[in-house]
Amino acid sequence: MSFFFICVLALVAGYFVYGKVVERVFVIQPERPTPCCEYRDDCDFIPMPTWKVYFIQLLDIAGLGPIFGPILGALYGPSALLWIVIGCIFAGGVHDYMSGMLSVRSKGQSIPEVVGNFMGMSARQVMRVFSVILLLLVGVVFVLGPAKLLGQMLGVNVQLLVGIIFLYYFLATILPISTLIGRLYPIFGALLLFMSVGVVVAMAVSGYELPSLSFATNTHPGDQPIWPLLFITLSCGAISGFHSTQSPLMARCIQREDRGRLVFYGAMIVEGIIALIWATVGLAFYDNPEAMQAVISAGSPAAVVNEVCNSLLGTVGGFLAILGVVVLPITSGDTAFRSTRLILADAFKIPQVQAGKRLLIAVPLFVIAFLISTQDFAIIWRYFGWSNQTLATLVLWASAIYFVQNRRFHWIATIPAMFMTAVVVSFILQAPIGLNLPPALSNGIGVGAALAAGVGFLIYAGRCCSGPVTDSAS
């Protein structure tokens, strides 16, 4: 377990060191009015205490991704731990901070509008489509997922639970953010804390150890290649485009720009720690990857969670820990629908102060979501990982453009943007849901696409340097 704690310390150090670098490059203005002060409407734009904004941001971004993704990522071996640490500090933290702070600087706009401000109308339209589809899928899955887990735990009819969760999501979507989300999330946060700390302590006390730390060895039982699959499979906990759809929610509630590092970068770091916990569980709890794969194949990563929690924490502790796991999808599903409402409102310029205008979007939105929930959309869901990371890639490129336009050190966004470009291009070219090209060819094209994008960006940067300097997000 010693390497696990080294990784945790690296993430904490990343927050205090690299997070501060990102903040300085962005150049915060602590006294500048934030959207909740300028556009307060007591529904979406509401000043909230920083601790509450932080908890909401953390629970917004931490769905089942930082649990299921790392469990699946652990099948590839210890390289999953390295990706979590490096990805979280240098890619995910930058992505989350910039998506939040650029929204703060853009009057609290949703992420498609923010990206469109820097990359043009075509990118804006692509982001709108990607975001809405991604959020609808997340919302529906995060109805069915927790309903099934609760049904198994409580012996309650799953369809009844689906109805109850849908009702909660609907209310959380249309009511002021302080009414339900602001009041329930601190309680949910306590359950999440218990789950995370409880599993770590139990693992350490029980004497579980990581296997040989051979980072170059791929241990996946299905012989799946680390590149690019690990970086698609293990997204939440390293870098996830879904986060950029959530950050604007808190960009409308944060009261000072100097709280952005804690709220946006800091929440990403804690999600990385949660991901480390479950990747370590996957590597240490089972004798070998084949044993964990057998459990996953018999059920899903949820079966791993159930087995681990009950084995390590007993019946009562396991129940509370699994309840903490259930909280994660619920606290991302509710804000997924809320974010969708706001993205559509921004796109069609529909004010959201009046309840009737919120219902105008929310009612058809939930009708569509319910219809999707009755369908077998397994094929569509296969595209989720790719579309999620493509979303993250676009946000990183938009951040790099912002830095260039304002004569700042763009490489903190450009390098991860190039890396993620290589990942998403390589994946879609070789995946069965894509062009199904040979790995060597698709990987070569992916790297070539990243280099071409980098060269094109540097040419653009050189041209920008000849113009006047302005804060392009003002």
Side-chain angles (χ1 to χ4, degrees):
M1 291 289 288
S2 57
F3 187 74
F4 163 79
F5 290 109
I6 291 173
C7 289
V8 171
L9 288 175
L11 286 178
V12 173
Y15 168 76
F16 286 104
V17 179
Y18 199 71
K20 190 67 176 178
V21 170
V22 174
E23 183 182 60
R24 286 181 177 175
V25 173
F26 180 78
V27 186
I28 58 171
Q29 300 175 29
E31 304 307 319
R32 178 176 178 149
T34 55
C36 70
C37 301
E38 289 192 293
Y39 310 106
R40 180 168 184 167
D41 61 7
D42 291 326
C43 178
D44 299 308
F45 294 83
I46 301 178
M48 298 176 71
T50 302
W51 69 269
K52 187 173 287 190
V53 172
Y54 172 82
F55 264 113
I56 294 175
Q57 174 70 9
L58 174 61
L59 290 168
D60 282 355
I61 65 175
L64 287 174
I67 297 178
F68 286 11
I71 288 173
L72 295 171
L75 293 171
Y76 293 90
S79 55
L81 300 177
L82 287 183
W83 167 232
I84 291 170
V85 174
I86 296 171
C88 188
I89 294 172
F90 298 104
V94 175
H95 169 274
D96 286 19
Y97 181 82
M98 291 303 296
S99 60
M101 294 306 294
L102 287 179
S103 180
V104 169
R105 289 284 179 90
S106 302
K107 303 178 181 179
Q109 287 181 317
S110 300
I111 199 62
E113 310 309 310
V114 172
V115 170
N117 293 340
F118 301 104
M119 300 184 70
M121 181 54 73
S122 296
R124 178 180 281 115
Q125 299 290 26
V126 168
M127 288 290 289
R128 284 171 176 169
V129 172
F130 266 57
S131 299
V132 170
I133 292 176
L134 183 143
L135 288 169
L136 273 173
L137 289 174
V138 167
V140 171
V141 168
F142 287 176
V143 170
L144 300 176
K148 290 177 181 178
L149 284 171
L150 285 172
Q152 293 172 0
M153 293 168 59
L154 305 176
V156 179
N157 181 273
V158 172
Q159 292 305 314
L160 174 62
L161 291 170
V162 166
I164 293 172
I165 293 172
F166 256 127
L167 176 60
Y168 165 70
Y169 284 179
F170 182 77
L171 294 175
T173 297
I174 63 172
L175 292 175
I177 197 166
S178 59
T179 302
L180 281 179
I181 293 175
R183 292 176 179 174
L184 292 177
Y185 272 39
I187 300 172
F188 292 157
L191 281 171
L192 172 61
L193 184 64
F194 173 84
M195 178 271 292
S196 303
V197 174
V199 170
V200 169
V201 172
M203 288 276 288
V205 170
S206 301
Y208 284 94
E209 292 293 339
L210 288 167
S212 174
L213 296 175
S214 179
F215 298 108
T217 302
N218 181 5
T219 61
H220 198 289
D223 198 29
Q224 298 292 325
I226 290 178
W227 178 274
L229 292 182
L230 174 62
F231 308 99
I232 297 289
T233 302
L234 209 171
S235 54
C236 288
I239 178 171
S240 169
F242 171 72
H243 296 186
S244 67
T245 67
Q246 302 301 291
S247 294
L249 293 179
M250 291 302 96
R252 303 178 188 217
C253 298
I254 195 169
Q255 297 187 55
R256 289 172 58 93
E257 286 194 358
D258 56 0
R259 310 294 161 79
R261 180 163 64 101
L262 172 64
V263 171
F264 302 118
Y265 198 101
M268 180 68 240
I269 291 295
V270 172
E271 189 191 65
I273 293 174
I274 296 171
L276 278 177
I277 292 171
W278 287 99
T280 301
V281 165
L283 290 165
F285 185 81
Y286 294 94
D287 292 334
N288 51 63
E290 288 76 14
M292 184 169 68
Q293 179 66 67
V295 176
I296 295 172
S297 299
S300 72
V304 172
V305 173
N306 185 66
E307 184 174 42
V308 168
C309 288
N310 283 299
S311 175
L312 293 177
L313 301 173
T315 304
V316 176
F319 177 84
L320 291 174
I322 295 171
L323 200 58
V325 172
V326 171
V327 158
L328 291 175
I330 289 178
T331 56
S332 290
D334 55 7
T335 52
F337 283 112
R338 190 179 187 94
S339 296
T340 308
R341 170 177 68 80
L342 293 171
I343 287 172
L344 293 172
D346 284 351
F348 294 105
K349 296 181 169 44
I350 302 174
Q352 295 293 283
V353 177
Q354 297 177 350
K357 295 293 181 67
R358 299 197 293 273
L359 289 170
L360 181 65
I361 297 176
V363 170
L365 178 65
F366 275 84
V367 169
I368 294 171
F370 175 76
L371 292 175
I372 292 175
S373 72
T374 64
Q375 305 299 311
D376 180 7
F377 56 99
I379 294 177
I380 298 174
W381 184 250
R382 292 179 189 175
Y383 290 93
F384 171 81
W386 175 75
S387 61
N388 183 49
Q389 297 303 64
T390 300
L391 201 68
T393 304
L394 290 172
V395 172
L396 286 170
W397 280 120
S399 303
I401 291 171
Y402 168 80
F403 285 135
V404 164
Q405 290 179 352
N406 293 280
R407 305 290 196 280
R408 295 171 193 166
F409 187 72
H410 65 82
W411 290 106
I412 62 171
T414 305
I415 291 175
M418 291 177 63
F419 179 84
M420 292 307 300
T421 298
V423 168
V424 297
V425 172
S426 298
F427 176 80
I428 200 62
L429 289 179
Q430 70 181 258
I433 60 172
L435 297 182
N436 205 21
L437 296 178
L441 176 60
S442 60
N443 292 341
I445 295 174
V447 172
L451 292 174
V455 170
F457 178 77
L458 290 178
I459 293 172
Y460 164 80
R463 292 172 179 172
C464 273
C465 288
S466 60
V469 181
T470 60
D471 187 337
S472 54
S474 297

